[in-house]
């Protein structure tokens, strides 16, 4: 027979399992207990950990592209060197997460409070060894402001009579530069002609 298949481990107790260096693409760990599991170096692209307890688990160097962590708990979990790009994290509990050093968060849509918390961690630094992406930059990929970061971008209205738009006030762009940095990857013109 042809077609795709998906391994489902929904609601399973996998505590302290060694699942390191495995191809676990698309595997569903939904509502499972995966406390202190070793996922280091595993390919977990598209895996789902929806509503799972991942406390103390090790995801060092794991590929977590498009993984679903919605409503998961990651207390003490290590994400060092992991690729967590385009992941689903709505309702994810990052409180007391372990190291996120060298983690790539590109295009992961974090809530403002999640982003602020992660940016405030001492381990929010470094460059991902697989993608070459800076951790702090990837944490800001969807939003220009990160409360704990060094970059402080502020949009200010143009002076009266100067036309419509905003000017960028930033140490990197300079006041009145005509552009607004909206993300780590894109720069948008301030023209409001389409309004």
């Amino acid at each position: 027979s042809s077609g795709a298949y998906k391994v489902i481990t929904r609601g399973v107790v996998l505590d302290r399992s060694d699942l390191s260096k495995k191809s676990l693409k698309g595997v569903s760990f939904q509502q499972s207990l995966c406390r202190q599991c070793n996922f280091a170096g595993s390919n977990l692209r598209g895996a789902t950990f929806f509503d799972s307890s991942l406390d103390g688990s090790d995801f060092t160097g794991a590929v977590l592209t498009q993984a679903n962590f919605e409503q998961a708990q990651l207390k003490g979990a290590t994400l060092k060197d992991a690729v967590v790009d385009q992941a689903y994290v709505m309702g994810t509990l990052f409180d007391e997460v372990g190291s996120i050093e060298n983690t790539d968060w590109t295009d992961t849509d974090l809530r403002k409070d999640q982003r602020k918390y992660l940016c405030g961690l001492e381990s929010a630094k470094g460059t991902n060894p697989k993608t070459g992406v800076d951790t702090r930059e990837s944490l800001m990929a969807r939003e220009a402001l990160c409360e704990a970061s060094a970059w402080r971008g502020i949009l200010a209205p143009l002076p009266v009579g100067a036309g419509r738009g905003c000017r960028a006030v930033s140490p990197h762009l300079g006041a009145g530069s005509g552009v607004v940095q909206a993300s780590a990857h894109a720069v948008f013109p301030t023209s409001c002609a389409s309004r």
Side-chain angles (χ1 to χ4, degrees):
S1 93
S2 63
Y5 68 93
K6 192 171 200 172
V7 176
I8 298 175
T9 59
R10 183 178 182 154
V12 176
V13 177
L14 296 168
D15 290 349
R16 292 176 289 288
S17 294
D18 184 0
L19 300 168
S20 61
K21 299 179 182 172
K22 304 225 182 292
S23 178
L24 301 168
K25 292 191 286 187
V27 173
S28 176
F29 296 95
Q30 184 172 335
Q31 297 176 324
S32 293
L33 297 176
C34 302
R35 296 169 294 205
Q36 298 176 350
C37 284
N38 184 359
F39 293 102
S42 288
N43 185 346
L44 292 152
R45 179 183 293 271
T48 181
F49 294 96
F50 177 83
D51 197 23
S52 294
S53 178
L54 302 164
D55 295 348
S57 289
D58 185 359
F59 291 95
T60 301
V63 174
L64 297 159
T65 301
Q66 296 180 336
N68 184 344
F69 286 101
E70 292 181 343
Q71 298 182 23
Q73 184 172 309
L74 291 156
K75 184 177 182 178
T78 300
L79 295 165
K80 185 176 181 178
D81 298 332
V83 179
V84 192
D85 63 321
Q86 302 173 50
Y88 303 96
V89 295
M90 186 63 65
T92 302
L93 297 175
F94 288 111
D95 297 349
E96 299 179 44
V97 71
S99 178
I100 63 166
E101 187 174 352
N102 304 327
T103 303
D104 181 353
W105 298 88
T106 301
D107 293 329
T108 294
D109 197 11
L110 295 158
R111 289 189 328 256
K112 212 178 253 189
D113 62 314
Q114 291 172 322
R115 185 178 316 281
K116 184 177 179 181
Y117 178 78
L118 292 172
C119 285
L121 293 175
E122 190 175 313
S123 64
K125 61 185 177 183
T127 301
N128 187 274
K130 287 185 177 117
T131 65
V133 173
D134 180 88
T135 297
R136 295 193 72 75
E137 285 183 26
S138 69
L139 281 168
M140 297 185 299
R142 290 277 192 182
E143 188 170 322
L145 297 176
C146 183
E147 295 298 321
S149 75
W151 189 85
R152 298 277 193 255
I154 301 169
L155 298 181
L158 288 174
V160 176
R164 289 191 237 155
C166 297
R167 68 175 181 241
V169 180
S170 160
H172 300 290
L173 297 176
S177 67
V179 295
V180 176
Q181 185 166 347
S183 77
H185 304 292
V187 176
F188 299 95
T190 59
S191 169
C192 296
S194 60
R195 286 188 189 173

